[in-house]
């Protein structure tokens, strides 16, 4: 396997006001994978993102991107960032193509005048995400899923090998979520590393290869199958989740010891099935149009 | 017809002071409108208000020390912006309140200094501007500051717009975000300083908000917003100056009133172009990406 | 020495200036507690500037200035609501746009009719030369605002802290908000007399912010703010006699000095104690 794309070594962050946001995070993230970053609000998800983006310098440990310090990696346009929907000012007077063009700024000269190559990259990126027909729209005129696609296109135009996605599924419907996941899968298979922060637990087994579970420190990191267990989830989320357990009698007429555990924070639920301690993830599939109300 | 043009437009031009006034109005109209596009999008209206009020003690202090007034004004404006940042980061008081405290305190200090110092700086001229009384050295100083600031902002407009729109992305592609933040503050202070003589410190904030708002109303892309803002601003600055000559009314307030009328106009026209925007939810859900 | 210190009290205009300032300072300080928690500083500044054309008009027509100010305030608030509803501009831009326009209209009016109106008095305050009629208006305004606030301060707190909850327990939230802004405009009109349009913002922000650094309880915060507002206003007017300076500016400088002291030395939220706490935390590691 090739070199790790993101190398975290004992990363710790203490804010100037004395708040310990993260401690002792060590992990190597590989290309060609989608990695889910899960944890409660305030667990340090965004702090970890900011460390990778060079917004904050860790107070201890180090972050390396493809073997380079963060600053140098950023200069080489290695990292792209897809912001949360709420972070963006949708009334800003920019068209879809303007936003995607911003992905090319790192390649342009002092005055940021686009070259033919830049224009071509924008065209291709728009094509990839299926937004070429919307290029002259002002960004506020798009639906939730389209808005996400535009920013993914910006990341593609930037040509980054690492794409950070901050809560990409907030405020989009299930059908859109599935189509976004399909897009992310393709992008990962092309050799990118997608790091997706989410509190939507149910979708994690559906599209992530690996998962990082954080709560002030890295609780667990590894393939979803072995890491996304009930014990780790309990450690990551404490009492923060809805927890339904259906055991033996409620489920079976025979003395089967297996039970069903449903974990949810009101998004897509995570369902575990099997004997206590050895439960396996059930890949849930929601279908659109069942009238499931979801909040943003 | 020709007579009317002659009387209303050319006659004022035969006076030296009107030539100077029109030239400085033009330069200030441009620099204020360019900055206003960033100010509107960044949500810095209160910051503009604060910095403009805060330059008063700088003027008084510069007079006492014997520095050029513009240097004192610039230093005070920048001090206001920086101390606001410091107080906000180190206390639990909200940013808007900190800004209000800092600029009102500085304005008060300026007032107290002005009443104590015998100076040839006329308080009312500082507050409301005196574009018809501008000297050629004032014109030279303020004009060159305005021209330089306009040039910088127009050349770097794409980066500045990106910084306003999505600072996180700007940082990720290696744009020095802190430099841009500080740079915008410096540009704000310089813009205010350049407009000081003509617009006065109370009304400069209007010239820093209205053109951008007009541009925002009628366009959907940033470059067009800039063009509309600059045109609207230049029109009202020149128009206001000429009108004030004929009406014998205060110039800066007249400029602001003209801009307000243009804004109302933009509100009417803008409703038409914002029609598609209004339908954002409808058209959005109808065309869900899939 | 004592004679020297008592000298201002020998002049009726000084005595009047001192107690009127104190009254207005206290009223504004009460309001400031709500203002700083809601992030409405710009609103305070905007109202103060917006009412200028109304005051100018009232002077021209020889009406009580409070009436002109009141109408201008309502018009400005209506204008802001209208523009806000019609556009997608940010709120701060809308407020800035409307208040500067009103202010400019006031100035144009004054510049065309430069007779009766002393624009400098409106912008910078004129407490030392306040007329008896104006004093009456200030007293009426202050007493009305104070009594409404004293009776309903908990209701306002409930509305501003959690509007949904306030509505659910049956409070008329929209009505209370309108009442609050009416009180604010009224207090602004009064403050215009003492410190002038440009410094009203200090009166309705600084005392509350200072108190906010000193306590976590709203009731206590109100008392601290009122004490600060009243005392610094009285002191500022009194000291301006000796320093022969603009009393409004001096009042604001005293309030700011108190804020900076709280910023540095407040027992829990002051800079020094916070730094100390961080250091302790670091050492403990």
């Amino acid at each position: 396997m090739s070199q790790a794309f993101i190398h975290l070594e004992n990363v710790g962050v203490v804010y100037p006001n004395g708040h310990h946001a993260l401690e002792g995070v060590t992990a190597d993230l590989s290309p060609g994978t989608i990695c889910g970053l899960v944890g409660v609000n305030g667990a340090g998800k965004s702090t970890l993102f900011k460390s990778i983006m060079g917004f904050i310098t860790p107070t201890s440990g180090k972050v390396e991107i493809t073997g380079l310090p963060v600053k140098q990696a950023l200069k080489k346009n290695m990292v792209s960032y897809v912001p949360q929907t709420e972070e963006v000012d949708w009334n800003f007077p920019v068209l879809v193509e303007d936003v995607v063009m911003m992905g090319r700024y790192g390649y342009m000269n002092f005055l940021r005048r686009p070259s033919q190559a830049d224009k071509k990259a924008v065209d291709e990126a728009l094509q990839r995400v299926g937004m070429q027909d919307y290029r002259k729209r002002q960004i506020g005129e798009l639906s939730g899923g389209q808005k996400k696609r535009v920013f993914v296109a910006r990341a593609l135009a930037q040509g980054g090998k690492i794409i950070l996605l901050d809560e990409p599924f907030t405020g989009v419907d299930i059908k859109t979520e599935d189509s976004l996941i399909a897009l992310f899968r393709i992008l990962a298979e092309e050799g990118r590393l997608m790091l997706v922060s989410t509190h939507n637990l149910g979708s994690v087994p559906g599209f992530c290869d690996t998962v990082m579970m954080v709560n002030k420190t890295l609780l667990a990191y590894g393939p979803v199958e072995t890491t996304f267990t009930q014990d780790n989830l309990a450690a990551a989320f404490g009492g923060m989740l809805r927890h339904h357990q259906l055991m033996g009698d409620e489920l079976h007429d025979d003395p089967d010891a297996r039970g069903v555990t449903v974990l949810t924070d009101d998004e897509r639920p995570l369902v575990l099935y099997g004997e206590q301690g050895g439960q396996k993830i059930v890949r849930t599939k929601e279908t659109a149009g069942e009238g499931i109300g979801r909040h943003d | 017809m020709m007579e009317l043009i002659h009387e209303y437009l050319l006659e004022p031009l035969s006076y030296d002071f009107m030539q100077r006034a029109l030239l400085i109005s033009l330069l200030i109209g441009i620099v204020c409108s360019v900055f206003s596009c960033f100010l509107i999008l960044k949500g810095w209206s209160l910051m503009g208000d604060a910095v403009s009020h805060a330059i008063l003690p700088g003027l008084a202090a510069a007079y006492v020390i014997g520095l050029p007034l513009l240097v004192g004004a610039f230093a005070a404006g920048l001090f206001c912006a920086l101390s606001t940042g410091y107080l906000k980061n180190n206390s639990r008081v909200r940013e808007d309140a900190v800004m209000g405290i800092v600029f009102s305190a500085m304005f008060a200090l300026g007032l107290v200094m002005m009443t104590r110092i015998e100076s040839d700086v006329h308080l009312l001229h500082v507050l409301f501007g005196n574009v018809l009384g501008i000297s050629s050295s004032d014109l030279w100083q303020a004009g060159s500051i305005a021209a330089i600031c306009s040039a910088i902002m127009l050349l770097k407009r794409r980066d500045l717009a990106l910084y306003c729109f999505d600072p996180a992305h700007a940082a990720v592609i290696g744009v020095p975000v802190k430099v841009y933040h500080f740079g915008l503050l410096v540009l704000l202070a310089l813009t205010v300083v350049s407009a000081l003589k003509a617009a006065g410190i109370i009304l400069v904030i209007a010239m820093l908000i209205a053109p951008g708002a007009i541009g925002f109303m009628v366009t959907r892309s940033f470059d067009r917003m800039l063009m509309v803002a600059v045109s609207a601003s230049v029109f009202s600055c020149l128009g206001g100056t000429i009108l004030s000559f004929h009406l014998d009314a205060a110039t800066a307030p007249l400029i602001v009133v003209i801009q307000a009328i243009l804004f109302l106009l933009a509100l009417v026209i803008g409703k038409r172009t914002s029609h598609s925007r209004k339908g954002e939810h409808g058209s959005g859900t109808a065309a869900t990406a899939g | 020495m004592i004679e020297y210190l008592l000298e201002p009290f020998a002049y009726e205009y000084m005595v009047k200036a001192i107690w009127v300032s104190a009254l207005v300072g206290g009223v504004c300080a009460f309001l400031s507690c709500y203002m700083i928690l809601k992030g409405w500083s710009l609103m305070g500044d905007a109202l103060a500037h917006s009412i200028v054309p109304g005051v100018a008009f009232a002077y021209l027509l020889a009406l009580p200035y409070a009436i002109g100010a009141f109408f201008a305030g309502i018009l400005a608030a209506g204008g802001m609501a209208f523009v806000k509803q019609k556009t997608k501009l940010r709120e701060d831009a809308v407020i800035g746009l409307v208040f500067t326009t009103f202010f400019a209209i006031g100035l144009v009016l004054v510049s065309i009719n430069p007779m009766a109106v002393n624009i400098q008095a409106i912008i910078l305050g004129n407490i030392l030369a306040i007329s008896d009629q104006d004093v009456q208006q200030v007293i009426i305004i202050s007493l009305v605002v104070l009594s409404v606030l004293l009776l309903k301060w908990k209701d306002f707190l409930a509305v501003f802290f959690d509007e949904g909850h306030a509505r659910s327990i049956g409070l008329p939230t929209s009505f209370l908000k309108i009442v609050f802004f009416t009180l604010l405009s009224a207090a602004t009109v009064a403050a215009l007399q003492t410190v002038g349009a440009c410094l009203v913002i200090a009166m309705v922000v600084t005392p509350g912010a200072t108190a906010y650094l000193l306590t976590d309880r709203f009731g206590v915060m109100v008392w601290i703010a009122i004490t600060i507002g009243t005392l610094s206003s009285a002191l500022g007017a009194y000291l301006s006699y000796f320093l022969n300076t603009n009393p409004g500016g001096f009042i604001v400088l005293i309030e700011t000095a108190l804020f900076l002291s709280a910023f540095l030395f407040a027992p829990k939220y002051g800079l020094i104690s916070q730094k100390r706490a961080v250091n302790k935390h670091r050492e403990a590691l």
Side-chain angles (χ1 to χ4, degrees):
Chain A
M1 202 176 74
S2 67
Q3 172 193 34
F5 262 26
I6 298 180
H7 172 67
L8 304 167
E9 194 176 307
N10 197 27
V11 172
V13 176
V14 184
Y15 284 112
N17 62 9
H19 173 64
H20 281 249
L22 270 182
E23 272 174 297
V25 177
T26 301
D28 280 317
L29 309 187
S30 319
T33 56
I34 300 181
C35 177
L37 179 61
V38 295
V40 290
N41 285 336
K45 281 183 294 181
S46 57
T47 303
L48 193 57
F49 261 29
K50 284 178 187 164
S51 313
I52 296 169
M53 297 196 305
F55 262 30
I56 45 179
T57 315
T59 29
S60 61
K62 66 173 177 179
V63 181
E64 278 181 358
I65 294 170
T66 62
L68 299 170
V70 172
K71 279 228 163 77
Q72 284 182 35
L74 295 181
K75 285 230 170 75
K76 293 189 163 183
N77 276 298
M78 292 287 193
V79 184
S80 313
Y81 172 63
V82 177
Q84 270 188 62
T85 308
E86 299 91 80
E87 283 174 14
V88 178
D89 175 4
W90 297 105
N91 290 321
F92 209 95
V94 281
L95 308 181
V96 167
E97 57 179 16
D98 296 339
V99 172
V100 181
M101 189 60 89
M102 286 173 184
R104 302 294 301 173
Y105 276 19
Y107 299 101
M108 297 181 195
N109 63 7
F110 180 76
L111 298 180
R112 313 288 186 203
R113 294 177 65 96
S115 66
Q116 280 306 318
D118 293 324
K119 284 178 185 152
K120 196 160 153 264
V122 169
D123 288 344
E124 280 170 9
L126 282 168
Q127 208 104 38
R128 285 299 302 273
V129 300
M131 289 294 294
Q132 64 275 30
D133 295 340
Y134 298 90
R135 58 186 308 153
K136 293 289 179 194
R137 291 268 191 104
Q138 193 265 341
I139 50 167
E141 300 167 358
L142 304 172
S143 71
Q146 291 170 332
K147 287 173 175 170
K148 273 277 118 68
R149 279 165 188 273
V150 171
F151 281 86
V152 172
R154 183 176 74 177
L156 292 178
Q158 192 187 338
K161 292 276 175 273
I162 296 164
I163 300 181
L164 307 179
L165 295 122
D166 200 354
E167 299 284 354
F169 306 125
T170 306
V172 299
D173 57 67
I174 296 152
K175 213 173 117 193
T176 313
E177 179 178 320
D178 287 342
S179 75
L180 284 173
I181 287 176
L183 177 64
F184 295 166
R185 274 252 63 96
I186 297 171
L187 298 178
E189 275 156 24
E190 290 172 358
R192 294 184 183 85
L193 164 62
M194 319 277 289
L195 181 57
V196 184
S197 93
T198 181
H199 62 275
N200 186 352
L201 295 179
S203 64
V204 169
F207 80 100
C208 293
D209 304 299
T210 57
V211 63
M212 295 176 87
M213 305 176 82
V214 291
N215 195 354
K216 303 286 171 194
T217 180
L218 186 60
L219 297 168
Y221 168 57
V224 172
E225 282 73 20
T226 54
T227 313
F228 210 52
T229 61
Q230 198 178 343
D231 290 346
N232 284 338
L233 281 165
F237 287 88
M240 311 291 281
L241 294 175
R242 278 172 220 279
H243 187 154
H244 310 277
Q245 202 159 26
L246 301 171
M247 295 304 295
D249 298 350
E250 299 159 294
L251 206 58
H252 312 282
D253 288 335
D254 49 60
D256 193 335
R258 290 177 291 178
V260 174
T261 303
V262 180
L263 293 171
T264 173
D265 64 342
D266 291 342
E267 295 276 344
R268 186 186 281 197
L270 175 72
V271 181
L272 300 160
Y273 179 66
E275 282 181 31
Q276 198 68 1
Q279 292 189 327
K280 286 211 180 84
I281 297 161
V282 181
R283 284 178 195 246
T284 54
K285 183 94 185 137
E286 275 175 279
T287 37
E290 273 184 315
I292 300 164
R294 33 166 68 193
H295 63 108
D296 295 79
Chain B
M1 185 64 197
M2 284 311 288
E3 243 168 68
L4 273 179
I5 290 178
H6 181 79
E7 188 181 332
Y8 279 95
L9 295 180
L10 297 182
E11 194 212 322
L13 277 175
S14 60
Y15 297 95
D16 271 357
F17 75 93
M18 274 307 283
Q19 289 171 3
R20 286 197 297 270
L22 285 169
L23 187 57
I24 194 72
S25 315
L26 175 75
L27 289 170
I28 285 167
I30 294 172
V31 72
C32 287
S33 57
V34 175
F35 194 90
S36 81
C37 291
F38 302 111
L39 181 120
I40 286 278
L41 296 172
K42 191 90 188 109
W44 267 11
S45 301
L46 185 55
M47 179 69 98
D49 199 25
V51 168
S52 57
H53 281 77
I55 64 180
L56 193 58
L59 291 174
Y63 183 81
V64 173
I65 306 171
L67 282 172
L69 295 184
L70 295 187
V71 174
F74 172 71
L78 207 56
F79 176 80
C80 171
L82 296 182
S83 55
T84 297
Y86 175 77
L87 286 172
K88 190 198 88 178
N89 291 335
N90 287 288
S91 78
R92 62 176 191 150
V93 183
R94 298 167 67 120
E95 183 172 23
D96 66 294
V98 172
M99 233 180 259
I101 293 168
V102 171
F103 93 71
S104 58
M106 290 183 72
F107 189 82
L109 182 66
L111 268 188
V112 170
M113 286 168 84
M114 287 281 206
T115 48
R116 299 288 297 161
I117 301 162
E118 289 293 321
S119 80
D120 59 355
V121 184
H122 199 307
L123 183 61
L124 282 184
H125 286 173
V126 173
L127 293 180
F128 305 121
N130 181 26
V131 70
L132 300 186
I134 200 160
S135 73
S136 51
S137 72
D138 290 340
L139 172 66
W140 184 234
Q141 286 179 6
S144 47
I145 295 175
I148 292 170
C149 288
S150 309
I152 293 175
M153 284 188 285
L154 286 175
L155 286 175
K156 295 300 277 176
R157 65 182 185 280
R158 295 206 171 91
D159 279 10
L160 289 169
L162 170 63
Y163 164 69
C164 294
F165 176 60
D166 191 348
H169 175 71
V172 161
I173 63 169
V175 169
V177 177
K178 276 183 191 145
V179 174
Y180 274 62
H181 181 84
F182 184 73
L184 262 188
L185 286 177
V186 171
L187 284 168
L188 171 62
L190 285 174
T191 305
V192 170
V193 164
S194 71
L196 177 68
K197 278 278 173 182
I201 62 180
I202 301 184
L203 286 174
V204 66
I205 181 63
M207 302 177 67
L208 284 175
I209 295 177
I214 295 169
F216 181 89
M217 289 299 300
V218 295
T219 59
R220 293 157 66 214
S221 76
F222 186 74
D223 280 358
R224 291 221 184 129
M225 175 175 170
L226 263 176
M227 281 190 281
V228 173
V230 172
S231 324
S233 178
V234 166
F235 173 79
S236 32
C237 283
L238 296 181
T241 308
I242 291 175
L243 210 57
S244 78
F245 173 83
H246 293 295
L247 295 180
D248 196 20
T251 319
L254 215 50
I255 292 174
V256 175
V257 171
I258 296 177
Q259 282 179 344
I261 293 168
L262 289 180
F263 177 78
L264 285 178
L265 212 65
L267 205 64
V268 177
I269 307 169
K271 252 161 80 183
R272 230 169 279 143
T273 50
S274 80
H275 189 72
S276 56
R277 278 197 204 182
K278 279 260 168 64
E280 118 189 12
H281 300 293
S283 66
T285 44
T288 310
Chain C
M1 181 65 191
I2 289 179
E3 222 167 89
Y4 177 68
L5 290 179
L6 289 177
E7 210 178 278
F9 297 106
Y11 297 96
E12 200 200 329
Y13 78 92
M14 275 312 298
V15 176
K16 207 159 64 180
I18 290 171
W19 71 259
V20 171
S21 300
L23 184 63
V24 174
V27 171
C28 289
F30 203 147
L31 289 164
S32 74
C33 296
Y34 298 97
M35 302 286 287
I36 67 136
L37 293 178
K38 290 300 283 182
W40 282 339
S41 311
L42 185 56
M43 202 63 196
D45 197 36
L47 272 175
H49 285 79
S50 303
I51 60 181
V52 166
V55 176
F57 243 123
Y59 273 122
L60 285 175
L61 303 176
L63 289 169
Y65 74 91
I67 291 178
F70 187 68
F71 276 109
I74 287 182
L75 268 179
M80 286 174 201
F82 174 77
V83 177
K84 183 91 190 76
Q85 190 212 340
K86 287 280 175 197
T87 72
K88 294 189 167 180
L89 284 168
R90 287 170 185 262
E91 189 165 30
D92 65 312
V94 173
I95 294 174
L97 198 66
V98 173
F99 93 72
T100 51
T101 303
F102 269 70
F103 189 68
I105 292 172
L107 291 182
V108 171
L109 281 177
V110 173
S111 78
I112 296 176
N113 282 303
M115 35 186 226
V117 190
N118 180 358
I119 189 70
Q120 197 155 353
I122 299 178
I123 309 295
L124 306 177
N126 191 24
I127 187 67
L128 297 180
I130 189 169
S131 72
D132 281 338
Q133 195 200 356
D134 288 354
V135 171
Q136 271 175 15
Q137 289 182 40
V138 170
I139 294 173
I140 294 171
I141 289 172
S142 303
L143 291 182
V144 170
V145 174
L146 259 187
S147 45
V148 175
L149 281 176
L150 282 173
L151 287 173
K152 287 287 172 189
W153 70 272
K154 282 188 175 159
D155 290 21
F156 288 124
L157 183 61
V159 171
F160 293 142
F161 176 65
D162 184 350
E163 205 177 328
H165 169 76
R167 195 174 292 137
S168 74
I169 59 170
L171 288 176
T173 52
S174 309
F175 176 70
L176 281 170
K177 276 199 279 186
I178 292 173
V179 170
F180 182 82
F181 277 104
T182 314
L183 296 181
L184 179 63
S185 339
T188 309
V189 174
L192 207 63
Q193 287 288 329
T194 51
V195 296
C198 284
L199 291 176
V200 167
I201 182 168
M203 305 285 279
V204 295
V205 170
T206 312
T210 312
Y212 183 54
L213 290 174
L214 296 171
T215 176
D216 279 324
R217 297 186 52 206
F218 190 79
V220 182
M221 184 174 149
V222 168
W223 284 115
I224 297 177
I226 292 180
T227 313
I228 291 173
T230 314
L231 290 183
S232 47
S233 299
L235 192 66
Y238 168 77
L239 287 179
S240 72
Y241 174 84
F242 299 101
L243 298 169
N244 188 22
T245 182
N246 177 302
F250 214 69
I251 290 171
V252 173
L253 284 183
I254 292 175
E255 287 187 344
T256 314
L258 290 174
F259 172 79
L260 287 178
S261 323
F263 169 73
L264 289 174
F265 306 117
K268 192 168 159 198
Y269 297 107
L271 187 67
I272 292 171
S273 61
Q274 296 246 318
K275 285 261 148 59
R276 205 171 282 161
V278 171
N279 287 343
K280 230 178 230 171
H281 196 98
R282 288 236 167 99
E283 276 163 27
L285 283 173

